Amino acid sequence: MATESTTASPLAETGERVCWSCSAPQAAQFCTSCGKVQPSQSVDYFTFFGLPRKLNIDVTRLQREFYELSRKLHPDLYGQTSKQEQEWSLEQSSLLNDAYRTLKDPIKRTEYLLRLEGVELEEQSKSATETARVSGEIKKQVVPPDLLEEVFELNMQLEELRMSRKMGEDDLALIRELQAHKTEFEKKFEVLTQELKQYWDQWDRVADVDQEEKRHQIRDKMVDVLNRRNYIRNLVRDVNEALGS
Amino acid sequence: MSYSDKVLDHYSHPRNVGSMDKGSTDVGTGLVGAPECGDVMKLQIKVNPETSVIEDAKFKTFGCGSAIASSSLATEWVKGKTVDEALQIKNTDIVKELSLPPVKIHCSVLAEDAIRAAIHDWKKKRETAKPETVEARS
């Protein structure tokens, strides 16, 4: 996987801001000149790490940077500083942890990027319902009907299994059928994950280019794949729970 | 998070659980899902072809208490209404009635979607079935 590791300077992102202590241009966390901790800015997590808004990232490098910043922001280093600096270092620390946790996981990273790009998954569904109400059109479900049918059927079987368990029976034929379904769903999950990865590459190719329409297309495709993928993930989890108990 | 009494009531005594014949021309079926939580909801209505009144409604929902309560309430509300009246039901009405917290609003959205989808399905069937359907009913 191609990993774009452009060392985007935080300076470029933070624009006019200067260090509170020495007035030199400041970096996201520390002044590049005097090294003093800076108040946390409301920057997105990519900017925090000086990364471009892309989906293939060098996680090893991210981790290295995380450890380094964690060390530099350690409360022990601020025992002798002003109260204000102590607070800032704590703020920066918590921002650092959130940013790292979100970006190191590729799915969380994708969901986060989609939010930055204006996609609120739940809001999306609600506003679609409102539009449908006004227009009288039927709302397009984010999950395709055939998948919904399968999910419904599988849930029926799960319920059946739980019922028979309650009666003290183990319906072996049903268990085998559920296991077969589970395997199928796991395959689908894998296919969707691969599909998502292709969109990461596509996204990264147009991320810097002035092609808003194309970006929106890829963004919407990612939303679609994620929705289906999440659905299947929850379903497999339920089947595992039912089969495991 | 605690559920309101009304949610608990619908959850422990869901109304109108069941299913109807999907193939029947009088029956409309709505199957909807919310990927955020993995819920899936099926709502069916039986409509009188002459009066367009919803005479019966059934549901089956796999999901959290709020999703079950929302769909249970939806079946109660649509019964006795004409399809056009039923289309007036808004998710916010359900939120209000069940005192759903913000994180559960998507359950009410799902219930509204299910009603609309069921009605849409019924209308579509009625259009494809020729005018003689009225006569065909003895």
Side-chain angles (χ1 to χ4, degrees):
Chain A
M1 199 113 305
T3 43
E4 284 287 332
S5 57
T6 44
T7 348
S9 156
L11 291 178
E13 318 284 343
T14 53
E16 305 300 310
R17 295 181 65 123
V18 292
C19 171
W20 59 271
S21 177
C22 74
S23 297
Q26 70 170 76
Q29 300 85 16
F30 302 97
C31 173
T32 38
S33 173
C34 71
K36 291 224 163 144
V37 69
Q38 303 294 312
S40 61
Q41 308 160 29
S42 49
V43 292
D44 68 74
Y45 297 158
F46 291 96
T47 309
F48 183 87
F49 277 108
L51 290 166
R53 216 181 263 190
K54 290 186 178 179
L55 288 166
N56 288 299
I57 66 174
D58 183 344
V59 178
T60 321
R61 179 172 162 257
L62 181 77
Q63 192 186 39
R64 220 171 30 233
E65 223 152 292
F66 167 72
Y67 284 139
E68 199 183 312
L69 282 170
S70 298
R71 252 196 323 274
K72 283 191 189 164
L73 288 166
H74 197 280
D76 286 357
L77 297 177
Y78 294 87
Q80 304 302 315
T81 62
S82 70
K83 202 156 182 288
Q84 185 67 82
E85 280 170 86
Q86 288 175 20
E87 262 170 41
W88 285 339
S89 71
L90 279 178
E91 271 171 29
Q92 292 279 15
S93 273
S94 99
L95 188 58
L96 172 69
N97 283 309
D98 291 345
Y100 177 62
R101 260 202 300 271
T102 306
L103 293 188
K104 78 169 172 185
D105 179 272
I107 300 300
K108 282 194 191 138
R109 187 191 309 149
T110 310
E111 287 172 340
Y112 179 72
L113 181 120
L114 290 172
R115 263 206 307 284
L116 290 180
E117 294 295 323
V119 179
E120 293 286 346
L121 293 178
E122 280 189 21
E123 271 305 305
Q124 200 192 24
S125 175
K126 204 167 119 235
S127 61
T129 298
E130 277 153 13
T131 314
R133 195 191 294 144
V134 174
S135 69
E137 299 277 300
I138 192 73
K139 170 181 165 182
K140 185 183 164 286
Q141 286 289 310
V142 287
V143 182
D146 52 332
L147 178 58
L148 272 176
E149 290 280 356
E150 281 180 77
V151 171
F152 193 84
E153 283 312 309
L154 196 64
N155 272 297
M156 290 294 268
Q157 290 182 330
L158 281 177
E159 192 173 74
E160 213 180 303
L161 181 70
R162 288 191 201 105
M163 299 278 254
S164 69
R165 287 248 165 94
K166 236 183 228 170
M167 309 286 285
E169 296 160 16
D170 253 340
D171 190 334
L172 289 176
L174 186 60
I175 290 176
R176 265 197 299 278
E177 211 176 315
L178 274 169
Q179 262 156 352
H181 278 308
K182 195 187 101 173
T183 314
E184 255 170 66
F185 274 109
E186 279 168 342
K187 267 187 218 145
K188 269 189 194 151
F189 185 82
E190 196 38 51
V191 170
L192 286 169
T193 306
Q194 292 309 322
E195 203 180 321
L196 190 60
K197 282 184 180 163
Q198 286 172 14
Y199 290 132
W200 292 341
D201 295 344
Q202 288 187 23
W203 172 267
D204 289 358
R205 277 198 292 274
V206 294
D208 301 326
V209 197
D210 188 23
Q211 285 186 12
E212 191 151 15
E213 203 180 318
K214 181 89 186 137
R215 266 213 302 278
H216 284 177
Q217 267 174 23
I218 301 170
R219 180 194 68 185
D220 294 345
K221 280 180 185 158
M222 284 196 281
V223 170
D224 179 52
V225 173
L226 266 179
N227 273 331
R228 279 183 285 157
R229 193 179 170 280
N230 286 349
Y231 221 128
I232 291 174
R233 186 200 56 207
N234 290 341
L235 195 68
V236 169
R237 183 202 57 205
D238 290 348
V239 176
N240 278 334
E241 255 173 41
L243 289 176
S245 62
Chain B
M1 189 199 57
S2 61
Y3 285 125
S4 72
D5 289 346
K6 278 185 182 157
V7 170
L8 286 175
D9 181 39
H10 277 281
Y11 179 67
S12 37
H13 311 284
R15 333 291 199 256
N16 312 311
V17 173
S19 68
M20 295 190 259
D21 176 15
K22 217 175 131 178
S24 164
T25 41
D26 297 347
V27 172
T29 303
L31 181 62
V32 295
E36 309 92 61
C37 50
D39 289 0
V40 54
M41 186 181 283
K42 187 192 232 171
L43 192 144
Q44 293 184 298
I45 50 169
K46 187 174 188 299
V47 188
N48 183 316
E50 277 136 68
T51 58
S52 292
V53 168
I54 299 172
E55 291 176 334
D56 199 7
K58 296 272 182 226
F59 85 96
K60 180 77 196 166
T61 294
F62 297 102
C64 66
S66 302
I68 291 169
S70 296
S71 36
S72 172
L73 179 67
T75 55
E76 274 197 322
W77 276 358
V78 298
K79 269 209 244 182
K81 285 194 167 77
T82 64
V83 290
D84 288 335
E85 284 165 353
L87 284 172
Q88 304 300 314
I89 297 172
K90 292 195 190 107
N91 82 290
T92 43
D93 302 333
I94 297 170
V95 171
K96 220 180 279 171
E97 174 69 15
L98 296 174
S99 319
L100 295 179
V103 290
K104 292 296 179 183
I105 286 176
H106 66 269
C107 300
S108 68
V109 173
L110 209 54
E112 183 186 332
D113 287 349
I115 296 173
R116 313 187 80 83
I119 292 173
H120 179 80
D121 182 53
W122 172 77
K123 281 187 173 166
K124 212 172 61 190
K125 273 187 191 167
R126 201 178 56 159
E127 276 160 26
T128 41
K130 294 296 163 218
E132 60 258 23
T133 25
V134 178
E135 274 177 21
R137 276 173 52 92
S138 55

